[in-house]
mmCIF file with all atom_site columns, all heavy atoms in Angstrom:
data_model
loop_
_atom_site.group_PDB
_atom_site.id
_atom_site.type_symbol
_atom_site.label_atom_id
_atom_site.label_alt_id
_atom_site.label_comp_id
_atom_site.label_asym_id
_atom_site.label_entity_id
_atom_site.label_seq_id
_atom_site.pdbx_PDB_ins_code
_atom_site.Cartn_x
_atom_site.Cartn_y
_atom_site.Cartn_z
_atom_site.occupancy
_atom_site.B_iso_or_equiv
_atom_site.pdbx_formal_charge
_atom_site.auth_seq_id
_atom_site.auth_comp_id
_atom_site.auth_asym_id
_atom_site.auth_atom_id
_atom_site.pdbx_PDB_model_num
ATOM 1  N N   . ARG A 1 448 ? 6.266   48.801 -6.902  1.00 94.00 ? 448 ARG A N   1
ATOM 2  C CA  . ARG A 1 448 ? 4.961   49.333 -7.278  1.00 94.00 ? 448 ARG A CA  1
ATOM 3  C C   . ARG A 1 448 ? 3.970   48.982 -6.180  1.00 94.00 ? 448 ARG A C   1
ATOM 4  O O   . ARG A 1 448 ? 3.838   47.805 -5.807  1.00 94.00 ? 448 ARG A O   1
ATOM 5  C CB  . ARG A 1 448 ? 4.477   48.742 -8.607  1.00 94.00 ? 448 ARG A CB  1
ATOM 6  C CG  . ARG A 1 448 ? 5.402   48.969 -9.772  1.00 94.00 ? 448 ARG A CG  1
ATOM 7  C CD  . ARG A 1 448 ? 4.863   48.336 -11.054 1.00 94.00 ? 448 ARG A CD  1
ATOM 8  N NE  . ARG A 1 448 ? 4.602   46.907 -10.908 1.00 94.00 ? 448 ARG A NE  1
ATOM 9  C CZ  . ARG A 1 448 ? 5.525   45.963 -10.986 1.00 94.00 ? 448 ARG A CZ  1
ATOM 10 N NH1 . ARG A 1 448 ? 6.803   46.293 -11.180 1.00 94.00 ? 448 ARG A NH1 1
ATOM 11 N NH2 . ARG A 1 448 ? 5.207   44.697 -10.861 1.00 94.00 ? 448 ARG A NH2 1
ATOM 12 N N   . LEU A 1 449 ? 3.283   49.978 -5.656  1.00 95.00 ? 449 LEU A N   1
ATOM 13 C CA  . LEU A 1 449 ? 2.236   49.764 -4.665  1.00 95.00 ? 449 LEU A CA  1
ATOM 14 C C   . LEU A 1 449 ? 0.891   49.792 -5.359  1.00 95.00 ? 449 LEU A C   1
ATOM 15 O O   . LEU A 1 449 ? 0.646   50.628 -6.232  1.00 95.00 ? 449 LEU A O   1
ATOM 16 C CB  . LEU A 1 449 ? 2.280   50.844 -3.583  1.00 95.00 ? 449 LEU A CB  1
ATOM 17 C CG  . LEU A 1 449 ? 3.294   50.639 -2.457  1.00 95.00 ? 449 LEU A CG  1
ATOM 18 C CD1 . LEU A 1 449 ? 3.479   51.923 -1.673  1.00 95.00 ? 449 LEU A CD1 1
ATOM 19 C CD2 . LEU A 1 449 ? 2.850   49.510 -1.528  1.00 95.00 ? 449 LEU A CD2 1
ATOM 20 N N   . ALA A 1 450 ? 0.014   48.875 -4.980  1.00 94.00 ? 450 ALA A N   1
ATOM 21 C CA  . ALA A 1 450 ? -1.316  48.822 -5.565  1.00 94.00 ? 450 ALA A CA  1
ATOM 22 C C   . ALA A 1 450 ? -2.314  48.422 -4.488  1.00 94.00 ? 450 ALA A C   1
ATOM 23 O O   . ALA A 1 450 ? -1.973  47.682 -3.556  1.00 94.00 ? 450 ALA A O   1
ATOM 24 C CB  . ALA A 1 450 ? -1.369  47.817 -6.714  1.00 94.00 ? 450 ALA A CB  1
ATOM 25 N N   . PRO A 1 451 ? -3.542  48.908 -4.578  1.00 94.00 ? 451 PRO A N   1
ATOM 26 C CA  . PRO A 1 451 ? -4.549  48.497 -3.592  1.00 94.00 ? 451 PRO A CA  1
ATOM 27 C C   . PRO A 1 451 ? -4.882  47.012 -3.749  1.00 94.00 ? 451 PRO A C   1
ATOM 28 O O   . PRO A 1 451 ? -4.768  46.453 -4.846  1.00 94.00 ? 451 PRO A O   1
ATOM 29 C CB  . PRO A 1 451 ? -5.758  49.368 -3.938  1.00 94.00 ? 451 PRO A CB  1
ATOM 30 C CG  . PRO A 1 451 ? -5.577  49.717 -5.382  1.00 94.00 ? 451 PRO A CG  1
ATOM 31 C CD  . PRO A 1 451 ? -4.096  49.835 -5.584  1.00 94.00 ? 451 PRO A CD  1
ATOM 32 N N   . ILE A 1 452 ? -5.273  46.392 -2.662  1.00 93.00 ? 452 ILE A N   1
ATOM 33 C CA  . ILE A 1 452 ? -5.759  45.019 -2.742  1.00 93.00 ? 452 ILE A CA  1
ATOM 34 C C   . ILE A 1 452 ? -7.190  45.074 -3.252  1.00 93.00 ? 452 ILE A C   1
ATOM 35 O O   . ILE A 1 452 ? -8.095  45.563 -2.572  1.00 93.00 ? 452 ILE A O   1
ATOM 36 C CB  . ILE A 1 452 ? -5.685  44.315 -1.370  1.00 93.00 ? 452 ILE A CB  1
ATOM 37 C CG1 . ILE A 1 452 ? -4.222  44.196 -0.920  1.00 93.00 ? 452 ILE A CG1 1
ATOM 38 C CG2 . ILE A 1 452 ? -6.325  42.934 -1.440  1.00 93.00 ? 452 ILE A CG2 1
ATOM 39 C CD1 . ILE A 1 452 ? -4.051  43.551 0.435   1.00 93.00 ? 452 ILE A CD1 1
ATOM 40 N N   . ASP A 1 453 ? -7.381  44.606 -4.478  1.00 90.00 ? 453 ASP A N   1
ATOM 41 C CA  . ASP A 1 453 ? -8.692  44.625 -5.103  1.00 90.00 ? 453 ASP A CA  1
ATOM 42 C C   . ASP A 1 453 ? -8.945  43.269 -5.753  1.00 90.00 ? 453 ASP A C   1
ATOM 43 O O   . ASP A 1 453 ? -8.232  42.296 -5.466  1.00 90.00 ? 453 ASP A O   1
ATOM 44 C CB  . ASP A 1 453 ? -8.788  45.767 -6.122  1.00 90.00 ? 453 ASP A CB  1
ATOM 45 C CG  . ASP A 1 453 ? -7.670  45.725 -7.163  1.00 90.00 ? 453 ASP A CG  1
ATOM 46 O OD1 . ASP A 1 453 ? -7.061  44.642 -7.336  1.00 90.00 ? 453 ASP A OD1 1
ATOM 47 O OD2 . ASP A 1 453 ? -7.405  46.761 -7.795  1.00 90.00 ? 453 ASP A OD2 1
ATOM 48 N N   . ALA A 1 454 ? -9.954  43.200 -6.607  1.00 84.00 ? 454 ALA A N   1
ATOM 49 C CA  . ALA A 1 454 ? -10.301 41.920 -7.213  1.00 84.00 ? 454 ALA A CA  1
ATOM 50 C C   . ALA A 1 454 ? -9.132  41.315 -7.989  1.00 84.00 ? 454 ALA A C   1
ATOM 51 O O   . ALA A 1 454 ? -8.983  40.092 -8.054  1.00 84.00 ? 454 ALA A O   1
ATOM 52 C CB  . ALA A 1 454 ? -11.512 42.099 -8.140  1.00 84.00 ? 454 ALA A CB  1
#
Side-chain angles (χ1 to χ4, degrees):
R448 302 179 304 279
L449 278 165
I452 296 178
D453 54 20

